[in-house]
């Protein structure tokens, strides 16, 4: 796995959830998205089910193979694209504002529905993580799902893009510098992705809350927070 990841900047598909688990987590998520929200942030801080998914053993085992046994959650994001929705993600890098490229890190994209070209799956430019941090502009577009409207400044040769096709319960792991985006959902069903950003105790970013999910190294230099209360009972 690690050789492919280092060469391509992404590895997929990785099976992490059973069909029963997919149904459970999707049911819980859809209770939160009934108001039509297309983007939800940091659910793992509040919802026990989201914490359980973000810290699922199969997810952490795969993450550990890439960044080692000291694992912290540095962010959680859900993209919910309803049927025939115009929401899209422009070509960008996750690291452009986060600083994740400065520390061991990886992003997990967990599919709670099928993720395929028809419903706007993630697309990547394999190997683009090796180019380092690239210049972005911020644009205004109500259909743009990128939080700050970030869009890669350079032109992208989309003929080189790869569709990250996943079945429900599968995930991809991608480098925070890889160039990626997604198209609108043109299908009759939703596309639901649960994304978790993982770092290690080597992170020095005190501006962000992090949650330990594996390991016991010193994290006193970080803003360490606890899982939702019922998870500690």
């Amino acid at each position: 796995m690690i050789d492919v990841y280092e060469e391509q900047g992404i590895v997929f598909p990785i099976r992490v959830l059973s069909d029963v688990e997919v149904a459970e987590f999707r049911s819980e998520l859809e209770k939160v998205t009934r108001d039509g929200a297309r983007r939800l942030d940091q659910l793992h801080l509040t919802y026990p089910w989201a914490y359980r998914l973000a810290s699922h053993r199969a997810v952490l085992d795969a993450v550990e193979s890439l960044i080692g046994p000291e694992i912290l959650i540095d962010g959680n994001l859900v993209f919910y694209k309803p049927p025939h929705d115009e929401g899209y993600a422009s070509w960008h890098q996750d690291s452009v504002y986060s600083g994740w490229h400065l520390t061991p890190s990886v992003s997990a994209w967990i599919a709670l529905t099928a993720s395929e070209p028809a419903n706007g799956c993630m697309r990547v430019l394999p190997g683009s993580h090796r180019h380092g941090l690239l210049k972005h502009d911020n644009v205004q577009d109500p259909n743009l799902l990128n939080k700050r409207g970030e869009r890669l400044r350079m032109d992208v040769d989309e003929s080189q893009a790869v569709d990250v096709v996943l079945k429900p319960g599968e995930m991809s792991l991608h480098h925070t510098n890889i160039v990626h985006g997604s198209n609108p959902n043109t299908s009759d069903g939703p596309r639901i992705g649960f994304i978790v950003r993982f770092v290690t105790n080597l992170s020095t970013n005190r501006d962000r809350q992090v949650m330990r999910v594996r390991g016991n190294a010193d994290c006193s230099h970080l803003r360490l927070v606890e899982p939702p209360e019922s998870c500690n009972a």
Side-chain angles (χ1 to χ4, degrees):
M1 180 187 294
I2 194 168
D3 291 341
V4 174
Y5 180 79
E6 290 179 350
E7 174 68 22
Q8 300 293 317
I10 188 168
V11 58
F12 74 98
I14 305 167
R15 169 64 63 176
V16 290
L17 301 177
S18 67
D19 292 344
V20 171
E21 289 173 319
V22 169
E24 173 194 350
F25 290 126
R26 178 173 174 178
S27 175
E28 292 292 340
L29 176 59
E30 287 183 332
K31 295 174 185 176
V32 184
T33 57
R34 286 174 181 167
D35 63 354
R38 295 191 297 191
R39 176 183 174 127
L40 298 164
D41 290 274
Q42 306 294 65
L43 296 184
H44 73 290
L45 296 176
T46 305
Y47 295 95
W49 66 265
Y51 168 75
R52 291 196 306 272
L53 176 51
S55 61
H56 192 286
R57 180 175 179 176
V59 174
L60 298 186
D61 286 348
V63 169
E64 181 173 340
S65 71
L66 298 182
I67 66 173
E70 300 295 335
I71 305 175
L72 302 99
I73 298 174
D74 190 23
N76 165 229
L77 168 65
V78 171
F79 282 135
Y80 188 107
K81 290 184 180 180
H84 303 286
D85 185 75
E86 293 299 318
Y88 72 101
S90 58
W91 293 108
H92 69 286
Q93 297 170 303
D94 291 337
S95 55
V96 63
Y97 292 110
S98 66
W100 285 318
H101 63 299
L102 302 175
T103 185
S105 60
V106 67
S107 294
W109 204 106
I110 306 168
L112 295 182
T113 63
S115 187
E116 52 200 10
N119 64 13
C121 66
M122 183 168 69
R123 311 180 73 212
V124 303
L125 296 182
S128 56
H129 64 298
R130 298 196 299 272
H131 301 320
L133 195 60
L134 303 172
K135 293 185 180 299
H136 291 66
D137 295 313
N138 291 348
V139 300
Q140 298 296 319
D141 185 338
N143 290 317
L144 183 57
L145 299 175
N146 303 39
K147 188 172 185 178
R148 297 175 179 83
E150 59 268 28
R151 176 178 290 167
L152 197 65
R153 183 175 297 176
M154 72 177 200
D155 292 332
V156 170
D157 181 0
E158 297 201 16
S159 69
Q160 302 300 309
V162 170
D163 293 319
V164 183
V165 175
L166 300 171
K167 297 176 182 177
E170 293 180 340
M171 77 171 180
S172 62
L173 292 174
H174 66 269
H175 193 285
T176 57
N177 267 359
I178 198 168
V179 174
H180 63 290
S182 69
N183 293 324
N185 182 358
T186 61
S187 76
D188 295 331
R191 192 218 67 172
I192 307 173
F194 187 95
I195 300 102
V196 192
R197 321 292 194 189
F198 293 102
V199 298
T200 76
N201 63 302
L202 298 179
S203 175
T204 58
N205 189 345
R206 289 190 60 88
D207 295 333
R208 301 174 64 84
Q209 293 180 328
V210 295
M211 183 181 293
R212 189 201 305 272
V213 287
R214 184 168 286 185
N216 54 17
D218 179 24
C219 292
S220 59
H221 59 295
L222 300 172
R223 292 181 60 199
L224 201 63
V225 296
E226 295 296 321
E229 184 173 347
S230 64
C231 294
N232 294 317

